[in-house]
Amino acid sequence: MTGSVSSSKVRTTLTIAVEGIEFDTQACMLRIKGRNVEENQYVKMGAYHTIDLELNRKFTLIKEYWDVIALERVEMACDPTQHADLGAVLLHEGLGHIILVTSSMTVVRAKIDMNVPRKRKGFCSQHDKGLLKFYDALIQGILRHINFDVIKCILIASPGFVKEQFCDYMFQQALKSDWKAITENKSKFVLVHSSSGHKHALKEVLADPTVTARLAETKAAGEVKALDTFFSVLQMEPDRAYYGIHHVEKASEASAVETLLVTDELFRSTDLPTRKKYVKLVESIKDNGGDVRVFSSLHVSGEQLGQLSGVAAILRFPMPEIDSEETDDSTESDEETFTS
């Protein structure tokens, strides 16, 4: 007796309690695994199931508690233009790409493709005019698409000396036209070599170890400066600089924190109460108008901060009572130990 079994695809909605996550970098696909927690005619309650979340495929993510750090990460993924801290301008004569880079994606914001007449012996004016017109278009693209309040570093990459010529022209024009966005952020521009102005050249640029090291230093420059300021205040005005969660929480309760320095490692803690404690601290300080600097644990500045418990603060005004409170607490503890 022979026969065949027919099968067909059905579209259904599952609610999965996520237990495992895997990201396929080649297919750009997120694979999640977990148990089905809602009645479904095709998948039994409690049965394990794997779902592939593809790019542009809608899904609903449910969490019992959304903290400010988690929400910022979602916002960053949904709108990279507002959170990309690395920009890149790849160019060769007549072709340029303005690109924004986040930790999870690369977005081409503008492509400038213009005909630049070839340079001929004794007839350079047409070539020069075409080149300057191309440079002007690139500059306008940078002003339009780069958010200098967010961006920490802008790579200018090209073969040969095109990048130097372009930057010299851009900074001259910025001074003439009073483009403060460029003149005030001149230190954020980093010149590097690329084989071309095509967008695929960005991969080779970011793979260069020397570029990676320079990027780490440039992108972390604000954090490095904040840490240097902290150490300086700690030395000159010790009552305005504290580290350790106990001291910083006391200062936060008094709305005294001007700048909070904290490592990203603390927000990745597997202990939920610990994570919530630091998230609450960040929210409180932001609500009181304080500045929050999150340090990467992969950078030397983050390692230094990690040696100071991972959290520190520069205060708006001196609070010597924080130290005295700790002394009183330790004295009381000693007395209790003695009398018992």
Side-chain angles (χ1 to χ4, degrees), residues 152-271:
K152 292 183 178 179
C153 180
I154 307 165
L155 297 175
I156 307 294
S158 79
F161 295 100
V162 179
K163 55 187 176 294
E164 287 85 0
Q165 294 168 359
F166 168 67
C167 282
D168 287 344
Y169 177 75
M170 176 174 63
F171 294 137
Q172 288 173 12
Q173 293 301 108
L175 284 172
K176 288 180 183 177
S177 304
D178 195 27
W179 292 328
K180 291 183 179 179
I182 292 177
T183 56
E184 292 178 357
N185 292 282
K186 189 174 180 180
S187 61
K188 293 182 180 180
F189 289 88
V190 177
L191 276 60
V192 297
H193 173 79
S194 69
S195 59
S196 73
H198 294 286
K199 61 181 180 181
H200 61 73
L202 181 63
K203 185 176 181 180
E204 70 183 55
V205 170
L206 296 178
D208 187 333
T210 57
V211 173
T212 304
R214 290 175 69 184
L215 274 179
E217 293 302 319
T218 307
K219 291 175 71 176
E223 284 69 35
V224 171
K225 185 177 180 181
L227 191 61
D228 287 343
T229 301
F230 171 78
F231 283 125
S232 176
V233 174
L234 184 64
Q235 184 178 12
M236 305 299 293
E237 300 178 76
D239 292 337
R240 279 189 58 231
Y242 288 95
Y243 60 89
I245 186 63
H246 174 73
H247 285 165
V248 175
E249 281 183 328
K250 287 289 184 183
S252 177
E253 288 169 7
S255 302
V257 177
E258 182 176 67
T259 305
L260 175 71
L261 293 70
V262 60
T263 65
D264 58 2
E265 209 166 28
L266 297 173
F267 301 117
R268 295 198 297 268
S269 173
T270 54
D271 181 51

Side-chain angles (χ1 to χ4, degrees), residues 12-44:
T12 185
T13 301
L14 295 180
T15 303
I16 300 293
V18 180
E19 295 182 9
I21 300 172
E22 179 186 339
F23 181 63
D24 186 339
T25 56
Q26 297 298 319
C28 196
M29 184 184 295
L30 188 67
R31 185 169 291 115
I32 62 171
K33 180 182 179 182
R35 291 182 184 273
N36 183 36
V37 294
E38 282 192 5
E39 193 70 38
N40 189 286
Q41 67 181 103
Y42 302 106
V43 181
K44 293 180 180 178

